Amino acid sequence: AQQAAGEADAALATLAEARKVRAARLGASHAAVGDLDRRMGQMLLDAGQVEAARPWLERGAQLTRLGYGADDPRTLHSQLAMARLAAREGDGAPLARFADGLPEAPSLAPIRWEAQAFAAQASCLDGDPATGARQLRLLEEQLRQSRPEGGSLVREVARLASACGMTVARGGG
């Protein structure tokens, strides 16, 4: 909530305090600490602090995989965060591979949709905005059918689609 309100510094401080408490109770190498590491890394990545995000995301991915197992949603969120990091560094392929490699379990649909949205965004930003915009429009339609009540993912995909569409309109694709 703090991050959404534009209070990224306060949100990071709150998350750091939660991590400190969790590490004291469970140990610094517990998977639950890794999940907070991933969240810290994601916040830094979203703020454009790619290098600062890297160690948090790497540690989060390692701890969640070891503690929860490869198929746990928390581990999958960590893997998605690592793929987003690669995309921010110019390699969007891991995002597409991640989305395509997820099992078809209905419980994993939100993670898959998120990965598809970020993969389309990577296409939009990395020289193929027409393809990215098309993928985002298709995903928007799929989400409208699957989630008629809306939600944060629906809003995020709409925001990404709008930004990508502006890139296409400016002649970027």
Side-chain angles (χ1 to χ4, degrees), residues 6 18 36 42 46 61 76 85 107-108 121 151-153 170:
L36 288 177
Q42 278 185 262
D46 290 343
L76 296 172
L85 175 66
S107 63
L108 298 179
Q121 178 192 36
S152 61
L153 181 58
R170 285 193 307 265

Side-chain angles (χ1 to χ4, degrees), residues 49-67:
Q49 299 178 38
V50 176
E51 284 309 310
R54 176 182 300 287
W56 293 101
L57 294 175
E58 288 174 346
R59 189 171 41 250
Q62 178 183 23
L63 293 177
T64 56
R65 184 177 23 79
L66 291 173

Side-chain angles (χ1 to χ4, degrees), residues 109-167:
I111 298 171
R112 183 179 309 96
W113 293 329
E114 192 176 353
Q116 290 169 340
F118 288 125
Q121 178 192 36
S123 291
C124 190
L125 297 174
D126 294 337
D128 193 1
T131 297
R134 185 176 62 256
Q135 291 169 337
L136 286 164
R137 283 191 304 271
L138 292 170
L139 183 56
E140 271 188 299
E141 182 55 36
Q142 183 180 12
L143 288 172
R144 262 192 232 100
Q145 293 173 10
S146 299
R147 300 238 167 136
E149 72 282 1
S152 61
L153 181 58
V154 174
R155 288 188 301 276
E156 179 67 5
V157 170
R159 185 190 67 75
L160 294 174
S162 176
C164 197
M166 286 189 270
T167 300

Side-chain angles (χ1 to χ4, degrees), residues 3-14:
Q3 182 184 16
E7 300 175 7
D9 290 340
L12 285 168
T14 300

Side-chain angles (χ1 to χ4, degrees), residues 47-110:
Q49 299 178 38
V50 176
E51 284 309 310
R54 176 182 300 287
W56 293 101
L57 294 175
E58 288 174 346
R59 189 171 41 250
Q62 178 183 23
L63 293 177
T64 56
R65 184 177 23 79
L66 291 173
Y68 295 132
D71 296 329
D72 187 271
R74 293 163 290 196
T75 301
L76 296 172
H77 277 289
S78 287
Q79 291 172 350
L80 174 56
M82 289 299 297
R84 287 186 61 210
L85 175 66
R88 288 295 293 267
E89 294 174 331
D91 183 7
L95 279 169
R97 282 194 306 271
F98 177 83
D100 292 343
L102 282 173
E104 288 298 321
S107 63
L108 298 179

